[in-house]
Amino acid sequence: MNKNPLKKQQTKEKIFQAFFREYKQKPLRKITVSAIADNACINRCTFYEYFKDVYDLLEQAQETLIHEILACLDQIKEQDNPHKFELFSAFGQNILYKYGEQMAVLLSHGDTGFQKKLLNAMKPFLLEMLGIDDNDIKTNLVISYALFGITGYITTLYGSDTSITNQEAVRTLQKLMVTSLSQLPDASLPIYLYAK
């Protein structure tokens, strides 16, 4: 049976959402295909049309999430704006709103593979936005520190009962990033970032 591509994408998204609901509550080894299928209101056969097993689902969920975040970053790069860094606030709010909880779930389960993939995907963008070269060891250390800080912040934000808006969360995160990145010898951070 040849399904409509939109229908296939919607079904896959339902499975991803069901998986995240399960993964938020229990470790991966305790998640079953049956539980995901029940949660997604599909049958097990439909699950296997898209994924080999729960581990394949996890891998595809990670790749999809990183791909979607990079697509948002590419939209910023395509903007004809000499101060592209100004778009970071809107980007940050959008990312937290759309993907924050999913990132926190993946990061909080100790999956260092996902964290590495996410950081490796974001690093070139950050270096380009700042206009710096990563050949210097100090630059690499500071950028890594800033990016690990972002992932730690997101994990803590969604793992706590505090309720702050995405806008507040992004403002705080931006301050932390500026503090970290100001340690770079060749970083020319936009002055408006310091005032936030």
Side-chain angles (χ1 to χ4, degrees):
M1 174 160 74
N2 211 355
K3 290 185 181 176
N4 174 329
L6 178 60
K7 177 79 170 152
K8 286 178 77 169
Q9 185 56 41
Q10 289 171 339
T11 301
K12 196 169 186 179
E13 184 59 34
K14 277 176 49 176
I15 296 169
F16 281 149
Q17 294 306 320
F19 167 72
F20 280 111
R21 285 191 292 274
E22 291 289 317
Y23 200 29
K24 188 175 181 181
Q25 298 174 3
K26 52 182 103 157
L28 189 64
R29 69 183 182 283
K30 293 196 175 194
I31 298 174
T32 64
V33 170
S34 294
I36 294 168
D38 289 346
N39 202 319
C41 299
I42 60 167
N43 62 45
R44 287 173 52 94
C45 292
T46 302
F47 176 93
Y48 289 113
E49 288 177 29
Y50 297 87
F51 308 101
K52 290 184 248 175
D53 54 27
V54 175
Y55 296 95
D56 181 42
L57 169 57
L58 172 64
E59 182 69 26
Q60 288 191 45
Q62 292 175 350
E63 294 300 324
T64 299
L65 184 59
I66 290 170
H67 175 75
E68 289 175 5
I69 291 169
L70 290 178
C72 290
L73 289 172
D74 284 339
Q75 287 176 356
I76 292 175
K77 283 167 61 171
E78 291 170 8
Q79 297 281 333
D80 189 20
N81 183 338
H83 306 290
K84 290 181 182 178
F85 213 97
E86 292 175 19
L87 302 170
F88 253 19
S89 289
F91 164 75
Q93 289 177 49
N94 189 30
I95 292 299
L96 284 180
Y97 175 74
K98 288 170 87 172
Y99 311 114
E101 188 169 13
Q102 292 176 351
M103 286 192 310
V105 168
L106 292 171
L107 292 165
S108 67
H109 281 67
D111 187 348
T112 56
F114 172 68
Q115 186 178 39
K116 280 184 178 178
K117 288 180 208 172
L118 181 62
L119 299 181
N120 287 335
M122 292 183 69
K123 185 177 177 180
F125 176 81
L126 186 57
L127 290 168
E128 182 180 331
M129 292 301 286
L130 294 171
I132 55 178
D133 184 9
D134 71 337
N135 289 329
D136 176 56
I137 186 66
K138 184 175 180 182
T139 299
N140 268 310
L141 290 171
V142 172
I143 293 291
S144 293
Y145 177 80
L147 290 172
F148 274 101
I150 291 169
T151 58
Y153 183 86
I154 290 169
T155 303
T156 304
L157 176 67
Y158 284 92
S160 67
D161 290 333
T162 55
S163 58
I164 63 174
T165 66
N166 286 340
Q167 189 176 20
E168 292 172 300
V170 169
R171 256 197 315 269
T172 302
L173 188 54
Q174 208 169 26
K175 287 178 187 176
L176 294 169
M177 280 185 61
V178 167
T179 301
S180 300
L181 297 175
S182 66
Q183 301 304 307
L184 293 173
D186 53 352
S188 54
L189 297 175
I191 195 71
Y192 81 91
L193 287 176
Y194 291 101
K196 300 270 180 185

